Amino acid sequence: MQFISYLINGISLGSVYAIIALGYTMVYGIAKMLNFAHGDIIMVGSYVVYIAVSSLGLNPILSVVISAIACLVLGVVIEKVAYKPLRHASKLAVLITAIGVSYFLQNVALLIFGANTKSFTSVVPAVSLKLGSLTITAETIVTIVACIVIMIGLMIFIKKTKAGQAMLAVSEDKDAAQLMGVNVNGTISLTFAIGSGLAAIAGVLLCSAYPTLTPYTGSMPGIKAFTAAVFGGIGSIPGAFIGGILLGII
């Protein structure tokens, strides 16, 4: 029974890694770059929810929506300001910039919120499911369900919508896609927006399960999720999902 409990917790944590890894894998698959600031967008999203719930007293679901929108905008701004000018630069220049953006976000959070650990209020109702001697928390159930729904939604979006088809075209060949009338810049910005919105959701789920928040909250989960993305074959959405789950269980 203890093994099953560990397994369920592993799947829950792996689901968070999988959601974060989806952001990495989409950006890499389409823009062919590693956005190492992705982990810090998780932290920004968590702080937005923390302020909305603790300071402003807003509804948790509304707070998550506000957080996702804030991170979505942040993702697009980062792409326009930091990455778009380096579209034709060397891979190393883009990588160094990504690390620089990561440090910038961490230090801005340090200046605004300080280094003290904040106690995060879970956005999930404090209920649990009891199966004999096994107790499954609401956070665990919501995290696993959210991960599955997000992955299925992304797969449908990419295969069935015009924007999704444009993403596939850009990931195959940017120049050919542009010749066929695809707005390459708009498609890359949309990819960053989706990835950053997912990071906000992942951050909220992570901090609901482990209710502490610091300016460095997103760093380690971000690195682990990158490992999960590579583990599942970076650029593959089902691969990111499987990689995240496996890493969580391991």
Side-chain angles (χ1 to χ4, degrees), residues 214-246:
T214 73
Y216 305 106
T217 290
S219 298
M220 193 50 71
I223 292 167
K224 288 180 179 176
F226 171 65
T227 307
V230 174
F231 198 34
I234 195 158
S236 162
I237 288 173
F241 173 76
I242 292 163
I245 299 294
L246 283 175

Side-chain angles (χ1 to χ4, degrees), residues 114-119 211-214:
N116 292 338
T117 302
K118 302 281 190 287
S119 180
T212 57
L213 179 58
T214 73

Side-chain angles (χ1 to χ4, degrees), residues 142-175:
V142 168
T143 302
I144 294 168
V145 170
C147 180
I148 293 166
V149 168
I150 285 168
M151 198 206 70
I152 293 169
L154 267 180
M155 297 281 285
I156 292 168
F157 173 78
I158 284 172
K159 288 186 175 171
K160 301 290 183 187
T161 67
K162 197 172 178 181
Q165 293 294 306
M167 285 179 177
L168 284 176
V170 172
S171 71
E172 286 294 326
D173 190 324
K174 282 192 189 72
D175 296 329

Side-chain angles (χ1 to χ4, degrees), residues 22-144:
L22 285 169
Y24 272 116
T25 212
M26 282 181 71
V27 169
Y28 183 81
I30 289 150
K32 295 291 180 285
M33 64 158 289
L34 298 171
N35 179 20
F36 278 117
H38 193 63
D40 298 288
I41 294 172
I42 296 165
M43 172 269 295
V44 172
S46 301
Y47 269 114
V48 171
V49 172
Y50 172 77
I51 293 165
V53 173
S54 302
S55 302
L56 303 177
L58 296 179
N59 177 282
I61 294 169
L62 177 62
S63 301
V64 174
V65 172
I66 292 167
S67 172
I69 292 167
C71 286
L72 188 145
V73 172
L74 178 64
V76 173
V77 169
I78 288 170
E79 193 274 326
K80 294 284 186 203
V81 173
Y83 301 140
K84 189 181 175 185
L86 302 174
R87 197 71 50 83
H88 302 291
S90 70
K91 291 278 192 291
L92 186 61
V94 178
L95 188 63
I96 292 166
T97 304
I99 294 167
V101 171
S102 171
Y103 282 132
F104 174 76
L105 292 175
Q106 284 176 19
N107 283 282
V108 167
L110 268 171
L111 283 169
I112 296 170
F113 302 105
N116 292 338
T117 302
K118 302 281 190 287
S119 180
F120 191 90
T121 306
S122 175
V123 298
V124 183
V127 294
S128 55
L129 179 68
K130 284 193 179 290
L131 301 170
S133 61
L134 183 68
T135 303
I136 305 170
T137 64
E139 282 91 357
T140 300
I141 296 164
V142 168
T143 302
I144 294 168

